[in-house]
Amino acid sequence: MCGEVSAETLEAYRRASLSVFELLDHLERERLTARAEGKTPWTLAPGEQATGVCAWNAFVLQTLGNAFLDADYQTHPGTVGFVPPITADQVMRFYEPVEPWLRRARQAQANPQFVLDVTVPAALPAWSEVEPCPNTHLKGMLHAMRAVRDHAQAAMAYIEASAPTETRQQKQLDTIRQHYAAATTQARYADDMHGIDPSRDVHERVEEHLKAAIEQFYLVGQLVAMPERAEKAAVVAPPAALPKAQPLPGQPGFNPWVLTDPLSREKFQRDPEAREAIRLLWVHDPAPEKTLAIQAEIEAAYTRGDISIAKKADGSRLGHFFCTPWAAIYTVNRSVTLGGVALVPLQTFVFDVSIEGMNRGVPFRRQIKVAKFVSTTELEYGDPNEEPDH
């Protein structure tokens, strides 16, 4: 009746918190041991550095997800177990990358020469697309920021106690100090401004500072674990080249199957119903040049290595999306923006293009869909006469 959705899946992710926090506690104890043995963040083995990065990222993301859930339950005790859809979406964005970071941390613990297969420092998942954010989100951010700040302070104490031995290391430490100073300043400003019941104007200002503080602390923890990455953290990547214009439907050279997973195209091309579904998709697309431009962005990102084909935990290929045009599912390796959506490492996404429900007033859908994908035997052909169910 309140329009909320079940938090059952989110609660399952929350129950996995213990292993994340145990790993962070282990990391902080190992740092004390390393300091006693005369080791510094610069002299740790690659596997030890990777463990630190992955453990930190998993901790921050898990803390954010837990804090947002707790804030909603405390504010609305009558609907515990249910949350607003926007909260469910935001919390899932935090929770979804936790297990991949945790898995890599465990692998790095077992292998001193472990090398990360994703680029760090990584950015946080995108914040919910609503301004200002709900009061419960602000409350969750505040609690999460305080918890993350405490552990960031411990991380800084660890690296500050390790005297750099080279000029380059000193520059890296100075850069990390700069990011930490920015984070603590934003955090204190937000703390002081918040008060008990902030007005709308104050709410928006506090939200801005909280987000900036959390993002900076997230960065600092990664740089402490891998201080050499501090040099790259200050570098702004040059803009990517614009994708070349693609032939449009009806023009020579146009490939109607360009959106379909390349390894599955032959299968669908033999299916008469699939061929008709693809034809209708392009007939109903009001701006095929926009669809093809986003697809070109995806292909360029794949070529650069920013994204890769999504795989299951056992290393096998996850497969394609279940609905027309049966696009490939990707995993993000490096922070990248596709179709106007900012993506961060370990997120999984698909280019969802659909005409479902168009004959019933549902608008054409063209979006980068970020989600947790699982295997299914279902297969849909994007009927414009039926309401979308995904």
Side-chain angles (χ1 to χ4, degrees), residues 24-295:
L24 185 71
D25 288 341
H26 175 77
L27 171 65
E28 294 182 340
R29 290 194 303 270
E30 286 293 305
R31 284 176 171 173
L32 294 176
T33 301
R35 184 193 305 176
E37 295 175 350
K39 297 180 180 179
T40 74
W42 289 273
T43 61
L44 294 177
E48 293 174 301
Q49 293 188 4
T51 300
V53 169
C54 296
W56 177 257
N57 290 356
F59 157 70
V60 174
L61 293 166
Q62 187 76 46
T63 298
L64 281 165
N66 291 359
F68 272 55
L69 275 183
D70 289 339
D72 183 82
Y73 291 171
Q74 291 168 7
T75 305
H76 306 291
T79 58
V80 170
F82 294 84
V83 294
I86 191 171
T87 301
D89 175 69
Q90 181 69 84
V91 174
M92 182 56 77
R93 293 186 193 189
F94 294 141
Y95 278 159
E96 198 239 336
V98 170
E99 188 279 329
W101 283 121
L102 189 61
R103 175 164 22 99
R104 285 166 172 79
R106 294 301 189 192
Q107 291 174 328
Q109 280 184 307
N111 178 10
Q113 302 307 315
F114 179 82
V115 178
L116 276 174
D117 58 348
V118 293
T119 301
V120 293
L124 280 175
W127 301 99
S128 55
E129 293 84 7
V130 59
E131 297 293 343
C133 69
N135 287 331
T136 55
H137 287 204
L138 192 72
K139 186 176 180 180
M141 278 186 223
L142 191 61
H143 286 293
M145 181 276 291
R146 291 167 177 166
V148 171
R149 177 178 57 187
D150 290 344
H151 287 277
Q153 182 178 13
M156 284 302 299
Y158 160 67
I159 196 170
E160 291 280 10
S162 308
T165 59
E166 302 174 5
T167 302
R168 185 177 180 182
Q169 293 177 358
Q170 184 62 55
K171 289 182 179 180
Q172 293 164 0
L173 177 56
D174 290 342
T175 299
I176 297 171
R177 285 171 173 161
Q178 178 183 341
H179 287 298
Y180 180 67
T184 54
T185 301
Q186 296 273 17
R188 180 173 179 179
Y189 207 71
D191 238 341
D192 292 345
M193 286 188 68
H194 185 268
I196 298 176
D197 186 20
S199 65
R200 179 184 177 87
D201 180 60
V202 173
H203 176 117
E204 292 180 1
R205 295 175 184 271
V206 171
E207 177 186 352
E208 177 184 348
H209 290 297
L210 278 175
K211 288 178 177 178
I214 294 170
E215 290 167 0
Q216 286 285 337
F217 283 132
Y218 189 59
L219 172 63
V220 166
Q222 296 177 74
L223 298 184
V224 168
M226 285 186 173
E228 292 185 356
R229 300 300 173 98
E231 298 174 7
K232 296 183 179 180
V235 175
V236 178
L242 293 175
K244 295 180 180 179
Q246 302 294 311
L248 298 176
Q251 295 180 348
F254 173 68
N255 176 15
W257 297 93
V258 65
L259 305 178
T260 305
D261 173 25
L263 294 183
S264 305
R265 287 176 188 171
E266 185 177 349
K267 173 183 70 175
F268 286 112
Q269 288 170 344
R270 294 195 301 266
D271 181 349
E273 191 173 359
R275 293 198 297 269
E276 176 63 10
I278 291 293
R279 186 189 71 80
L280 288 176
L281 181 73
W282 291 112
V283 167
H284 287 81
D285 189 338
E289 67 281 1
K290 294 183 179 180
T291 303
L292 293 170
I294 295 175
Q295 178 63 25

